[in-house]
Amino acid sequence: MPRSIALLALLPIVFAAGCQSVGDLINAAPQPSARVVGADLRNLKVDSADLLFHVEVTNPYTTDLPVASLAYVLDSRGTTLLEGAIQPTGAIPARGSSVLQLPARITFSSLLATLSGVQPGAVVPWRADFIVTIDAPVLGRVKLPLSRSGELPVPAIPGVEVVGFDVGSLSLDQAEAVATLKVTNTNRFALDLGKMAFTLDLANAPVARTSVSSAARLSPGESATVKVPISFSPRAFGLPLFRLLQGDAVNYRLTGYLEADSKYAPLSAPFTSSGRVGIGR
């Protein structure tokens, strides 16, 4: 309803009330309200993450309440990281409330370039300031300020390397071995390891494509070992590999990804390493 029409509608009430002014009636009119009811961190990866804000708007009126816009500014330590706005569809139902969702994608390369002194693996504080703009009867356009704060992890790629390769049995047709992987948490927050999927090359031969699960909890900087049974046919990769497996060491390359949980959100991270690993028997 346009403000001028709403004020005209109030004039008979003003005359009847006598001592009350239009301003008094406007000030006494019911006020819409808003609050931030949640902030979820999702899709946490080493290059980006999504923050999803949940803003609840309450409508005290007997008619639906349009929301003109929902704007935000996200900063850390006074430095702006993101800002934007959305125009929600629909309206807040009469004498009811609705939760509006506001997504914000954070790219860590931009964050690291903006915030001095922050390195991968750190945790940075954030503050989000919101303005909910609504078109209210009588009051006209109303802006409702809100804020929310929290912490944002900036993940570093965990270290994963092969530190042992023990051959149980070896023939041209079949090799049975156990690869020992060392996983190091390079972040300043704890990780609960989950699934690791990877490809292991020995002397450029892809001897294993497999996955393994681990329930290890890693504090910042802590390492754990994961043993992975491997079975393959040396004949499929040629006699040179068979001879290398009879030696003391072999070159390896490891590529894959791991999934881990944290107090902030589940993390999915790629990893790769290469080097030379001793052969045990």
Side-chain angles (χ1 to χ4, degrees):
M1 178 187 300
R3 183 181 176 88
S4 59
I5 297 177
L7 291 176
L8 288 174
L10 282 175
L11 289 178
I13 303 175
V14 172
F15 293 133
C19 62
Q20 278 192 304
S21 68
V22 173
D24 292 332
L25 289 176
I26 290 177
N27 291 333
Q31 301 282 332
S33 62
R35 62 187 182 123
V36 182
V37 295
D40 300 333
L41 183 63
R42 301 182 177 184
N43 302 320
L44 180 61
K45 302 176 183 178
V46 295
D47 59 352
S48 64
D50 294 324
L51 272 171
L52 183 63
F53 298 102
H54 307 273
V55 178
E56 182 183 63
V57 181
T58 300
N59 176 11
Y61 307 116
T62 57
T63 59
D64 292 351
L65 182 65
V67 179
S69 70
L70 174 53
Y72 74 94
V73 176
L74 181 70
D75 72 56
S76 178
R77 301 168 183 159
T79 299
T80 299
L81 301 178
L82 288 173
E83 57 184 318
I86 62 170
Q87 293 181 324
T89 58
I92 312 303
R95 297 197 182 279
S97 62
S98 293
V99 175
L100 309 178
Q101 293 189 331
L102 176 66
R105 167 63 61 89
I106 300 171
T107 303
F108 291 128
S109 59
S110 297
L111 183 148
L112 293 172
T114 302
L115 296 179
S116 61
V118 176
Q119 299 293 326
V123 177
V124 299
W126 58 261
R127 175 187 171 90
D129 292 309
F130 306 90
I131 296 292
V132 184
T133 303
I134 58 178
D135 291 319
V138 179
L139 302 177
R141 182 149 287 196
V142 176
K143 295 181 181 294
L144 304 175
L146 306 168
S147 66
R148 182 73 175 239
S149 59
E151 290 183 329
L152 176 68
V154 184
I157 298 176
V160 185
E161 57 183 325
V162 182
V163 295
F165 194 82
D166 297 314
V167 178
S169 63
L170 177 64
S171 69
L172 272 174
D173 293 316
Q174 192 68 25
E176 301 289 343
V178 174
T180 301
L181 309 185
K182 179 182 177 182
V183 185
T184 302
N185 181 8
T186 54
N187 295 279
R188 297 180 189 173
F189 51 92
L191 290 178
D192 294 318
L193 291 183
K195 177 182 176 182
M196 287 192 295
F198 61 89
T199 297
L200 174 62
D201 292 359
L202 297 179
N204 296 320
V207 300
R209 288 185 176 89
T210 187
S211 63
V212 64
S213 296
S214 173
R217 179 176 178 82
L218 300 181
S219 298
E222 188 176 9
S223 299
T225 56
V226 179
K227 294 187 177 296
V228 184
I230 292 175
S231 176
F232 61 96
S233 171
R235 185 188 298 273
F237 304 109
L239 190 59
L241 176 61
F242 177 74
R243 289 173 177 169
L244 286 172
L245 293 175
Q246 292 177 311
D248 296 326
V250 64
N251 292 333
Y252 81 87
R253 179 173 176 79
L254 186 70
T255 57
Y257 73 92
L258 65 78
E259 296 174 353
D261 202 3
S262 72
K263 71 175 184 178
Y264 302 103
L267 169 66
S268 177
F271 61 82
T272 182
S273 67
S274 60
R276 192 164 177 81
V277 60
I279 297 177
R281 292 176 179 82

